[in-house]
Amino acid sequence: TDGSLKVEKYWEPPLAVEKLQLPSEEIEAELLRLLRESVKLRMISDVPLGAFLSGGIDSGAIVALMAQESSRPIKTFSIGFEEEEYNELPYARLTAERYHTDHHEFIVKPDIAEVLPLLVRHYNEPFADSSALPTYYVSKMTRQHVTVALSGDGGDESFAGYRRYAFDAAENRVRAFLPAAIRQPVFGLAAALYPKADWLPQPLRAKSTLKNLSLDPARGYFTSVYGALAQQRSALLTDDLQNGLAGYDPFNVFDEHYRRANTTDPVARAQYVDIKTYLTDDILVKVDRASMAVSLEVRCPLLDHKVMELAARMPTSLKLRNGAGKYIFKRAVSRILPPEILTRRKQGFVLPAAEWLRGEMRPLAESLLFDASMKDGLLNAAHVQQLWQSHQSGLRDQSRTLWTILMFRLWQKTFMEARASA
């Protein structure tokens, strides 16, 4: 206006409003009504339309509602892996068979040397979520049949679907019981002494929990989300780079949102931060760029503002109950999904990166991680070597950190070297 620009926020999850006091049955009915309306709106299209279908609740519910709105079989698209523990195809088929969809499947095999450089060019910035790879493959397969696809993104953030919400809630109960003056030295020392062994059963891997309990709620949740990356940052970056950053810490952005959340409920606060950071800058960037790389439009019914506003007004007890998330969401869609989908343990959209880095990807990874031309004073080469050897031993899973370094180095080679030569 008059030559000036004003930037302002036009929408917020309504965390500060009074929580719903209705019977859970009425909330379930309203949620299902809004979901149905949201799906129906996003099915308006003058081009062929389909849906991503994993073996989970969110995409399964979207497909079920689409099938109920359509007079023709819905086209559905799923991908899987040869590694059985990562393969969700059998569960995706349950929903596809129930609704007689026109179902398509694809097994991802790592053609890494061709696909990773392609993804780096499309993402245009260092982007280290390894699930970008299967997202690209499912988008590419889907685009061969349709132009628009609906996805289930957004359900975990709104309805407390990530397991870390339950862990964070438990940690905050301990924090409320023990003052920081006791927690920090006791749990900090215990975390330092406790062995880090990824090969142990999950209940025995207590090092991260002990470390989190020594931290304040914001820093503890940050560590839960970013894990080893957050903990290894100081060791991974060279002293010169850290001095050049002049005290900058990525946590500061995270903490700003955490403290801005207008709620005292720690779970709602964590969800708010995820909506502002993880959902916005990771999940949606991943899907948007992978899909648009093949000219596929992806629509997200669970991110409809009315659905998110209803979720924000629900008390946490309707989302997280007995350590399990999506309580109210599961009840709302219980009649339209196979029971096996509702009761199975949550499995993220992940690829077997740990196995691939020890197998098919190893030559490419070594060539990038230990490229002599990459001695640029940014990363601590000795620590990268230590991470690599630790991962190859099989006793530790360093795949998330190694994948991050790998994608950063590949981005450098793709863009920075090209810029230098130009």
Side-chain angles (χ1 to χ4, degrees):
T1 303
D2 298 328
S4 65
L5 177 69
K6 181 170 73 170
V7 179
E8 61 183 19
K9 184 164 46 185
Y10 63 88
W11 183 85
E12 274 276 271
L15 298 180
V17 301
E18 185 177 350
K19 297 300 180 184
L20 293 170
Q21 302 295 327
L22 300 172
S24 61
E25 292 80 8
E26 292 185 27
I27 299 177
E28 289 170 33
E30 177 64 4
L31 175 56
L32 189 59
R33 185 189 71 80
L34 289 177
L35 289 174
R36 196 179 301 280
E37 179 183 275
S38 178
V39 168
K40 187 175 181 178
L41 286 171
R42 283 155 185 81
M43 289 179 69
I44 299 173
S45 175
D46 55 4
V47 294
L49 179 119
F52 294 156
L53 179 60
S54 72
I57 295 170
D58 297 336
S59 65
I62 299 303
V63 167
L65 293 170
M66 289 176 72
Q68 293 177 358
E69 291 292 332
S70 176
S71 59
R72 298 179 180 179
I74 297 296
K75 295 181 183 294
T76 54
F77 305 91
S78 305
I79 62 169
F81 300 95
E82 293 178 328
E83 293 82 357
E84 186 175 345
E85 62 183 297
Y86 296 90
N87 188 31
E88 289 193 280
L89 287 179
Y91 292 99
R93 288 184 204 125
L94 291 174
T95 302
E97 290 169 358
R98 176 164 177 166
Y99 289 99
H100 307 288
T101 70
D102 180 6
H103 190 55
H104 304 264
E105 296 180 351
F106 179 77
I107 297 292
V108 176
K109 297 180 181 178
D111 188 6
I112 298 300
E114 176 184 347
V115 175
L116 282 191
L118 177 68
L119 286 179
V120 165
R121 288 195 294 274
H122 281 298
Y123 279 86
N124 205 45
E125 62 181 327
F127 189 80
D129 186 336
S130 62
S131 63
L133 189 66
T135 303
Y136 170 76
Y137 276 119
V138 75
S139 297
K140 184 178 181 181
M141 174 182 63
T142 301
R143 183 61 184 87
Q144 295 171 2
H145 302 271
V146 299
T147 310
V148 176
L150 272 59
S151 86
D153 291 313
D156 288 321
E157 290 80 7
S158 287
F159 297 97
Y162 296 126
R163 287 195 294 271
R164 62 176 179 254
Y165 293 134
F167 297 148
D168 188 63
E171 290 167 6
N172 277 308
R173 286 194 291 271
V174 175
R175 291 188 184 102
F177 180 73
L178 292 174
I182 296 176
R183 279 191 297 103
Q184 290 173 356
V186 171
F187 289 114
L189 177 62
L193 296 176
Y194 199 91
K196 173 68 174 171
D198 296 336
W199 48 269
L200 286 172
Q202 187 72 36
L204 299 181
R205 299 184 211 167
K207 190 177 184 72
S208 296
T209 299
L210 292 170
K211 176 66 176 177
N212 281 2
L213 288 171
S214 71
L215 305 171
D216 65 72
R219 180 71 75 167
Y221 188 63
F222 178 77
T223 305
S224 294
V225 178
Y226 297 103
L229 284 171
Q231 296 170 8
Q232 295 184 23
R233 182 171 176 269
S234 296
L236 191 56
L237 306 185
T238 62
D239 291 340
D240 286 345
L241 177 56
Q242 293 190 70
N243 291 335
L245 290 172
Y248 171 80
D249 188 340
F251 169 71
N252 295 341
V253 176
F254 186 96
D255 190 47
E256 181 181 344
H257 290 297
Y258 194 92
R259 304 199 181 285
R260 187 184 295 157
N262 195 6
T263 177
T264 58
D265 181 342
V267 175
R269 192 183 291 269
Q271 290 178 270
Y272 178 86
V273 173
D274 280 343
I275 289 169
K276 292 290 185 176
T277 58
Y278 185 67
L279 175 67
T280 307
D281 297 327
D282 185 331
I283 302 299
L284 296 181
V285 171
K286 173 190 70 179
V287 175
D288 182 64
R289 296 191 190 174
S291 61
M292 293 311 294
V294 295
S295 301
L296 176 73
E297 178 189 343
V298 176
R299 302 174 181 176
C300 306
L302 295 180
L303 293 180
D304 182 278
H305 69 286
K306 291 184 179 180
V307 174
M308 293 187 74
E309 286 169 0
L310 178 65
R313 294 184 62 204
M314 294 179 187
T316 293
S317 60
L318 287 181
K319 304 172 191 175
L320 190 63
R321 184 167 297 192
N322 297 325
K326 291 186 177 170
Y327 172 77
I328 192 73
F329 190 90
K330 291 176 183 177
R331 286 180 61 93
V333 300
S334 60
R335 295 179 182 176
I336 62 174
L337 285 180
E340 297 91 336
I341 302 298
L342 294 164
T343 57
R344 68 182 292 242
R345 187 172 184 263
K346 178 176 173 56
Q347 179 175 337
F349 192 45
V350 295
L351 55 76
E355 291 82 351
W356 286 5
L357 285 168
R358 296 187 185 110
E360 299 95 330
M361 277 189 69
R362 184 168 181 170
L364 175 66
E366 288 180 327
S367 70
L368 286 167
L369 295 176
F370 309 115
D371 187 339
S373 67
M374 291 296 186
K375 293 180 179 179
D376 50 15
L378 299 178
L379 302 184
N380 184 335
H383 188 67
V384 174
Q385 180 71 51
Q386 181 183 343
L387 290 172
W388 181 253
Q389 292 175 346
S390 170
H391 185 77
Q392 295 303 323
S393 72
L395 294 178
R396 297 283 300 276
D397 180 359
Q398 305 284 9
S399 59
R400 188 176 185 188
T401 306
L402 289 170
W403 190 278
T404 301
I405 301 169
L406 176 70
M407 296 306 291
F408 174 64
R409 289 307 196 193
L410 188 54
W411 172 82
Q412 277 187 294
K413 290 184 71 68
T414 302
F415 286 97
M416 303 306 287
E417 288 186 2
R419 179 181 177 185
S421 64

